[in-house]
Amino acid sequence: MSPRPHVVVDRAMPFMTSSLVLALGAASVLAADCPSPLSFPITTKQIDPNVPDSFMRGIAVTIGTPEQTILVNAWPDLNNTYIYDQQMLCDPSIIFNDEICFVRRGGIYHYEDSKSFSKYNDLASAGGATNEITTTGTELGVKKLLSSSLAGVEKLSVGGSNTSSVTMPIGIPRLRWDGGYTILHALGLGANSTYLNALSQSNKIPSRVWSYFWGRQWGSGSPLDGSIVFGGYDQEKTIGNNYTQPLDYSESTGCWTGMKVTVSDLVLNYRNGDDESIMPRNSALPVCIVPQRHLLLEAPGYVVDNFEQATGMVAAGSSFGFYWGAQVYNNTATPYYDGDLTIALSNGLSVRIPNSQLIVPPEEIARNGSFVTEPTQMALPINRLGTQPATLGRFFFTSAYLMVDHEADTFTLWQANPTAKSNLVAISHAKDSCASEPTDGDAANGTSGAGGSGSGSGDTNAPGSEAGEPTAKTPTGAIAGGVVGGVSALALIGAVAFFLVRRRKRAANNTQSGQGSTGDMSDRDASGFPLAQGVGELESHSQPQPAVGELPSSGSYKYAAAVGVQQYDPHVTQQPIHYGEYYNNKPAEVQGQGQGQGWVYELDNNTRPVAPVELSGGTPRSS
């Protein structure tokens, strides 16, 4: 095998960041160290400089010294980051030669050519996470990945930006551990993510939060880049209410990424306005959200069967390309489905997948490294599962937006707004100066809240930046401290004085606002200070709905406490949220007892098509 080149040709716009420097008289005054969110595109790049159309889609990362560029994807279930070198370890039953493997991996990393790489005996001694999730559903090789990988410490930067550059532990796999269809290098963003930890500890992001939108790859218009945000989310790319649940990685949930939801309905949306469900009546499908998976839905065979029965389409086989296991159809066949698909979740969110992202060209890398499609066929990115857990994969995030907050142990979903505009919102759980005072319309401080009304178009391009290039707003509530004549003590004194003045002002405002009012302090912490600004109030189901019908006075029932987050409060990890439940096809609920609102739901063990155990992990069924 000949040596592989280091360079990935960048076909995207350059990255840009902004900084704020304040002046006070003759002194040099710097804004307090209050970082903004970092946003980078998920885009298509040329991998092999010798093959012009050797395209792959992912997140560009520079690694090593001198810098080498590769593509990664977000892995929410891995704590460590794993980067491939010349031992690319593709599955030979799926990937037929080294050139295909090289392109599909998104390039490779030559650690021996990097001056900044330091080798260690294992990931633990390199400062890496000492465990990975190995529950049912994870890639089979994860159990040996931690102990078998070559370990080291290396310089890594998402987007090639200095703002995201950290020196951190990495693993270089020495066994074939991932499914042949996952492909790209793995950027670990799990609960103990070494990358998020490094960004947070170096004060480059306000919190260990990340958000994800895959973008759009097909359709009549130009492809739309996706984005990944660290330390917040992109409000411009969200629509309507958001829905938040606790992260739960336990074996009992059957979800190794911690993000378990329940699909309550799958609805075909025909061009003439008719809708047709392809889910069996009174059924539900527990699924695990796995953004790195290559399809829209991995599901039991009845989903594909019902789709084909409803649309009249007849599969010509399964895909062996990028969308391994997807259903393939001849694009000249009649009838041919030209409508959309709505995925309804039990938490109340409905995501409509447009036809352009539902019936897509089969894609593959040819033996010479070229990106190719099959012009006579189209693919439905849904496969037939056996006994494996069902998943929602990257195609779901052509139309849904995800935020994972490891400090609040929650994840949040929105319907996505596919746009190139950007309006970053910082998520901060700090009680210090970085939790700035609210400013009307200041989206960077989260005052408009997720799902709330924004302050404008959200077009936050910095002066001189390319149109549509996202840049982060700088928080306006930072404390300034003066450094005069190089005497750092004066800076400290100024900062303390400013803090005391602001605290006194807040106390006075609290007293004034309490006069002639009920003294509502629901937006303040135990000390009377405003809660850290971030997502703000989540506008999912804010009030329990009245019950429909009455529960019978006798019978065998099981009670399960509803879990979820009604208001984004960093001091309370679980708050009540309304979920409906059916009893004999009617929504039924009862008021619980104990701390908080205590809503619980009464289920009939005998007549439910799915046992109430589905409520474990914060995924109740929805009315």
Side-chain angles (χ1 to χ4, degrees):
M1 171 182 167
S2 59
R4 294 292 172 188
H6 299 178
V7 179
V8 173
V9 180
D10 189 348
R11 300 175 62 87
M13 293 181 291
F15 302 102
M16 180 172 293
T17 59
S18 61
S19 61
L20 178 65
V21 179
L22 305 177
L24 180 61
S28 173
V29 182
L30 300 180
D33 208 1
C34 298
S36 298
L38 304 176
S39 178
F40 302 101
I42 299 175
T43 191
T44 300
K45 292 184 179 292
Q46 179 183 339
I47 304 303
D48 190 335
N50 299 316
V51 182
D53 53 356
S54 57
F55 298 135
M56 281 294 289
R57 187 179 182 87
I59 306 162
V61 164
T62 59
I63 184 171
T65 306
E67 292 180 341
Q68 306 171 39
T69 304
I70 57 176
L71 291 185
V72 304
N73 199 5
W75 282 68
D77 50 321
L78 291 177
N79 292 319
N80 294 292
T81 289
Y82 296 92
I83 307 295
Y84 294 96
D85 65 352
Q86 293 95 323
Q87 298 184 43
M88 297 178 286
L89 303 174
C90 289
D91 185 343
S93 65
I94 300 174
I95 311 300
F96 303 122
N97 66 22
D98 287 343
E99 177 65 16
I100 297 174
C101 185
F102 171 70
V103 174
R104 292 186 65 161
R105 286 294 185 205
I108 58 175
Y109 162 59
H110 297 256
Y111 76 88
E112 70 279 4
D113 294 339
S114 173
K115 298 177 182 178
S116 52
F117 177 78
S118 299
K119 182 181 176 182
Y120 282 77
N121 290 333
D122 50 51
L123 275 165
S125 60
T130 57
N131 63 79
E132 300 286 10
I133 293 174
T134 58
T135 55
T136 302
T138 56
E139 302 292 335
L140 293 178
V142 172
K143 294 180 179 179
K144 297 181 180 180
L145 182 59
L146 190 65
S147 60
S148 64
S149 294
L150 173 65
V153 170
E154 181 60 291
K155 180 182 178 181
L156 183 145
S157 173
V158 172
S161 168
N162 287 335
T163 59
S164 65
S165 177
V166 293
T167 299
M168 58 173 284
I170 63 169
I172 302 174
R174 283 293 176 258
L175 57 80
R176 194 165 62 241
W177 64 278
D178 64 332
Y181 41 76
T182 54
I183 302 306
L184 294 177
H185 305 267
L187 180 66
L189 298 177
N192 191 25
S193 165
T194 54
Y195 183 66
L196 291 177
N197 289 345
L199 286 177
S200 179
Q201 290 163 7
S202 58
N203 208 31
K204 292 179 180 290
I205 56 174
S207 58
R208 295 186 308 113
V209 173
W210 63 278
S211 302
Y212 187 87
F213 170 60
W214 182 251
R216 298 281 175 89
Q217 293 180 245
W218 312 274
S220 57
S222 300
L224 175 67
D225 284 353
S227 71
I228 188 163
V229 179
F230 303 109
Y233 75 106
D234 192 337
Q235 187 183 55
E236 191 67 35
K237 292 182 173 61
T238 67
I239 295 176
N241 293 343
N242 45 57
Y243 299 86
T244 297
Q245 293 179 212
L247 289 165
D248 189 344
Y249 300 92
S250 62
E251 182 78 45
S252 62
T253 67
C255 182
W256 56 102
T257 66
M259 297 181 284
K260 183 180 180 182
V261 294
T262 300
V263 174
S264 56
D265 207 356
L266 295 168
V267 180
L268 298 178
N269 311 115
Y270 293 96
R271 290 283 295 274
N272 64 2
D274 291 343
D275 295 329
E276 181 179 2
S277 173
I278 57 173
M279 287 278 286
R281 187 177 180 181
N282 296 329
S283 66
L285 179 62
V287 298
C288 190
I289 293 175
V290 191
Q292 71 271 22
R293 285 290 172 91
H294 60 300
L295 299 178
L296 168 63
L297 184 63
E298 297 177 287
Y302 71 77
V303 172
V304 174
D305 293 339
N306 291 350
F307 171 83
E308 294 180 347
Q309 182 177 356
T311 62
M313 295 180 68
V314 178
S318 298
S319 174
F320 295 96
F322 279 158
Y323 313 131
W324 182 272
Q327 308 306 302
V328 175
Y329 302 90
N330 293 325
N331 62 10
T332 58
T334 55
Y336 190 83
Y337 184 63
D338 59 359
D340 303 339
L341 174 69
T342 295
I343 301 175
L345 303 183
S346 65
N347 60 15
L349 178 67
S350 289
V351 174
R352 183 161 173 156
I353 312 295
N355 187 266
S356 63
Q357 314 300 306
L358 178 67
I359 308 294
V360 300
E363 298 178 340
E364 182 56 287
I365 300 297
R367 291 179 182 271
N368 67 350
S370 297
F371 176 90
V372 296
T373 61
E374 173 52 61
T376 65
Q377 294 182 327
M378 298 294 279
L380 173 73
I382 301 176
N383 74 353
R384 301 172 184 267
L385 278 181
T387 59
Q388 306 97 318
T391 68
L392 284 168
R394 70 179 64 158
F395 277 75
F396 183 63
F397 296 102
T398 63
S399 303
Y401 191 88
L402 169 70
M403 181 181 79
V404 178
D405 187 337
H406 286 305
E407 297 187 17
D409 295 323
T410 61
F411 70 97
T412 300
L413 291 169
W414 290 263
Q415 180 184 346
N417 177 33
T419 179
K421 291 184 176 181
S422 182
N423 187 10
L424 299 183
V425 176
I427 306 299
S428 176
H429 298 280
K431 295 183 180 180
D432 57 17
S433 60
C434 291
S436 56
E437 294 190 54
T439 302
D440 290 342
D442 187 353
N445 289 329
T447 55
S448 58
S453 58
S455 58
S457 67
D459 189 354
T460 60
N461 291 335
S465 67
E466 295 287 340
E469 182 177 357
T471 59
K473 287 187 177 180
T474 304
T476 59
I479 295 178
V483 182
V484 181
V487 183
S488 60
L490 294 179
L492 178 61
I493 294 172
V496 171
F498 188 93
F499 175 78
L500 293 176
V501 169
R502 190 180 70 168
R503 181 167 183 170
R504 182 178 302 172
K505 180 179 177 181
R506 280 177 168 171
N509 289 340
N510 294 344
T511 303
Q512 183 177 359
S513 63
Q515 294 174 352
S517 69
T518 59
D520 182 13
M521 301 289 284
S522 59
D523 63 340
R524 299 179 180 272
D525 63 19
S527 301
F529 288 95
L531 295 176
Q533 296 300 311
V535 176
E537 182 177 352
L538 293 187
E539 297 181 0
S540 51
H541 304 284
S542 58
Q543 296 294 331
Q545 303 298 314
V548 178
E550 295 182 355
L551 293 170
S553 58
S554 61
S556 174
Y557 312 110
K558 179 175 181 178
Y559 291 81
V563 294
V565 178
Q566 175 178 312
Q567 182 175 348
Y568 195 94
D569 181 348
H571 307 292
V572 181
T573 59
Q574 291 190 0
Q575 298 185 24
I577 188 172
H578 169 66
Y579 295 97
E581 260 304 340
Y582 283 98
Y583 173 81
N584 288 344
N585 296 323
K586 294 181 179 180
E589 58 200 13
V590 292
Q591 178 73 53
Q593 304 295 326
Q595 184 178 5
Q597 296 184 31
W599 283 90
V600 295
Y601 302 93
E602 193 159 10
L603 311 177
D604 183 344
N605 284 332
N606 299 320
T607 62
R608 290 292 298 164
V610 181
V613 71
E614 70 191 17
L615 291 176
S616 66
T619 55
R621 289 171 53 81
S622 165
S623 50

